[in-house]
Amino acid sequence: MRDTSLGTLTVANHKPWMHFYSREDEKRQIHCSWGEFLARRSRDIDAMRNFNLCVARQDHVTHQKALCLRSKFQRAVGLPEGALLDSQQAEEAMTMWDASVTMEMADCLYDLNRFEDTKVLLHKSMRRNIGTSLEPFERRLHTVDENLKDSTGDSLTNFYMEHSTEMPGFYEHKRDQLEKSDKRPLWKIRKARKECDVQSFIDPKEEKISPLESERRSRKTKNFYQNYLGRNWTDFIFLKTLRNNPHLLQDAISGSSKERRDYLEKSFQRLRSFARMLHARSPMYSEYFQRSPVMEARMREANLFRIQYQTRRNMHSILRTIRVLRESKDITVSSSNYIFRLIVLQMAFVNQSLRKFIEDVMGNYVILKTDRMMPWKVEFMNEVYNHLGLSLCETYRIPKTRLTPHDKNAMCTLLDIPPAKPLEFTEVIFGNRSSYILAGHEKQFTDRMADHHAYIEHLERRLLFAQLPIEKAYLLYELADRHMQTNHFSQCLSYAHKAVEEAKTCNSLVWQFHSMMLMAKSHAVLHKYERQKEVLNYAYDLAADLKSARLCIFIELCRMLNRDYITLRKMTQLVTNKRLRSKISNKSSFLSNMSPNESPYEQEYRRKSSLMKDLISLK
């Protein structure tokens, strides 16, 4: 019996049949068979490894066959570039002309959407074949001709005529993509264009598009993948969002996040190239051109009516919800301070809920509707913002606590705002759970400020594309309020002043009043009583125009407290000036009683010297 324990090399990851002695052609045949078997089982990595082992042999015939098999496999898994390289190598390795290699190269070019090169190759190959061997080439040539007809036929003319205004932007985008693919240094690229090559770093241009345009683009993308991927388009969108999902990647915990990201990116690019391949063979504009115009117009009209009907129902539902939120609070005031505080807190909670609801509705739903989808859009927006303005008017109530001008924070208490305080130092303890809280009221200061900045950027983006003056007034009011919450009072005053101007444009007394009250709150925190006097006088005139007795009483109480502040400050200044004058007069009278040659410092020096002489005599 042969002893296999001596003189044998143990090779890792080898199959049992690999240890047996066999000829080279048998091994090559085994690798090819295993590659085809594993490819049918969708074990792509193992199949690719067997094909690579088969290609690595030195026999040209087997090498050509293995290259063709690997090329077919790479086309099957969505790698047409590698398949084309294998087919080209197989063509170079063949000793005599083989139709299967040429057809494989034509299929690779077709998968790469290179229809012109495919057509040229098929015409060349048809000259070398006669009889029944021409049939596969003729079928492929007919397919390519139909694809070219769909891409460059009459449908392309209509598409260019309908989208001629969008063509310049498309060409600029393609030019930017070509510039990104250029790997040369920036100064060389600019020098070749005869531009200034001194600036080697250019600030990236931020593309500012309206929310409506962003929604249109996402809708077109959705239609594109729905058309070519069918019901699987949801899986594709889900895969697109998974590429940057922190819960899946877990960069800080798992060490395999890079491999996961690469795998998701490759899968996404594979499906994306597949969809583009289908689009190149049968463009969407060609499919639209082949439909019946009458049927297409009928379907669009039915879809428009359906969306208009549902939008109208949603508008009525939104208005009902706003009325319910406004009527849900109790407006009766009890004599008990505790009950009054509960009512105020409930009103504040309802108003915050109403503000969040309106911001969500107007910023994520109404802004995406056109005048065609929402015919009463202007009237609806005016009614919603007027509801919010009237609801905010109910927050100004006279407190039950006693207010005195001797308390510097009495005006802040009356206006229901916290007085300005220095920023508190937040202590971060390593390992403490409270240091890593990311949500709720216990959120860290930096996280809260990040939320404020994100919300401010969202409002500024909305303000950039707002058209109605009342919407601009609302957005400027929200920006001023956010800046006041972060103790940025100069920005708050600036935005509040702009909100007043926009409210004057649309003749909205409510939003003028709220903007003036924001200015009054900022002046109250900064203790600017003279400026607050002017603001309160203007706010009182607005409250009178609104014919609200409760608001007039509240503003009058604010004016009285502000007058007391001004009077108390003047009295304090008078007392201070009087003390200063008396001190100066006493000092001048004391100096006038002395001789001109004598000073108080000299008298003190003499007194001390006499005391020193007495002590020396006692000793």
Side-chain angles (χ1 to χ4, degrees), residues 155-354:
S155 58
L156 184 62
T157 305
N158 293 343
F159 176 77
Y160 270 110
M161 292 178 64
E162 292 178 2
H163 301 84
S164 58
T165 57
E166 302 177 7
M167 288 296 117
F170 170 75
Y171 289 126
E172 290 178 1
H173 176 70
K174 296 296 290 183
R175 187 189 64 185
D176 296 340
Q177 294 296 326
L178 292 176
E179 288 179 359
K180 291 180 181 179
S181 62
D182 196 347
K183 302 299 182 183
R184 293 182 300 168
L186 184 59
W187 66 271
K188 286 188 177 181
I189 300 175
R190 297 177 70 87
K191 186 177 181 180
R193 297 180 188 166
K194 297 181 180 180
E195 297 178 358
C196 178
D197 58 346
V198 176
Q199 187 179 2
S200 298
F201 180 79
I202 301 177
D203 296 334
K205 296 181 181 179
E206 183 181 358
E207 185 181 8
K208 296 180 179 180
I209 57 176
S210 63
L212 186 59
E213 180 63 25
S214 176
E215 183 66 19
R216 283 173 180 166
R217 293 185 181 184
S218 62
R219 180 62 183 172
K220 289 179 181 179
T221 304
K222 178 182 175 182
N223 292 339
F224 176 80
Y225 290 112
Q226 278 181 341
N227 187 40
Y228 293 110
L229 299 181
R231 295 183 178 179
N232 297 324
W233 73 273
T234 54
D235 300 332
F236 176 78
I237 298 299
F238 180 65
L239 178 62
K240 183 179 180 181
T241 58
L242 279 181
R243 293 182 301 163
N244 299 320
N245 192 341
H247 300 288
L248 177 64
L249 298 177
Q250 297 181 355
D251 297 331
I253 301 175
S254 176
S256 62
S257 59
K258 185 177 181 301
E259 290 78 4
R260 295 180 188 176
R261 185 180 284 105
D262 294 341
Y263 177 76
L264 291 173
E265 184 67 27
K266 288 180 181 178
S267 302
F268 171 75
Q269 294 297 337
R270 184 184 303 173
L271 290 174
R272 187 181 180 185
S273 61
F274 175 70
R276 290 186 175 184
M277 180 192 305
L278 296 177
H279 174 69
R281 297 179 183 181
S282 178
M284 292 183 66
Y285 57 82
S286 177
E287 295 183 5
Y288 293 154
F289 180 73
Q290 294 172 6
R291 296 176 183 174
S292 173
V294 179
M295 184 62 67
E296 186 73 18
R298 190 179 301 171
M299 291 174 59
R300 288 186 177 182
E301 187 178 14
N303 187 36
L304 174 64
F305 292 158
R306 183 167 58 253
I307 295 176
Q308 284 181 348
Y309 175 70
Q310 186 61 41
T311 304
R312 180 178 175 275
R313 288 173 59 94
N314 294 339
M315 290 167 61
H316 287 291
S317 176
I318 291 168
L319 292 177
R320 281 196 302 269
T321 305
I322 291 174
R323 293 190 186 97
V324 167
L325 286 174
R326 285 195 61 191
E327 296 173 359
S328 61
K329 56 182 176 293
D330 187 5
I331 59 175
T332 58
V333 180
S334 175
S335 59
S336 175
N337 292 336
Y338 179 71
I339 300 297
F340 174 79
R341 187 173 300 174
L342 288 179
I343 293 172
V344 170
L345 289 175
Q346 183 182 6
M347 288 176 58
F349 174 75
V350 170
N351 285 321
Q352 289 296 329
S353 302
L354 183 60

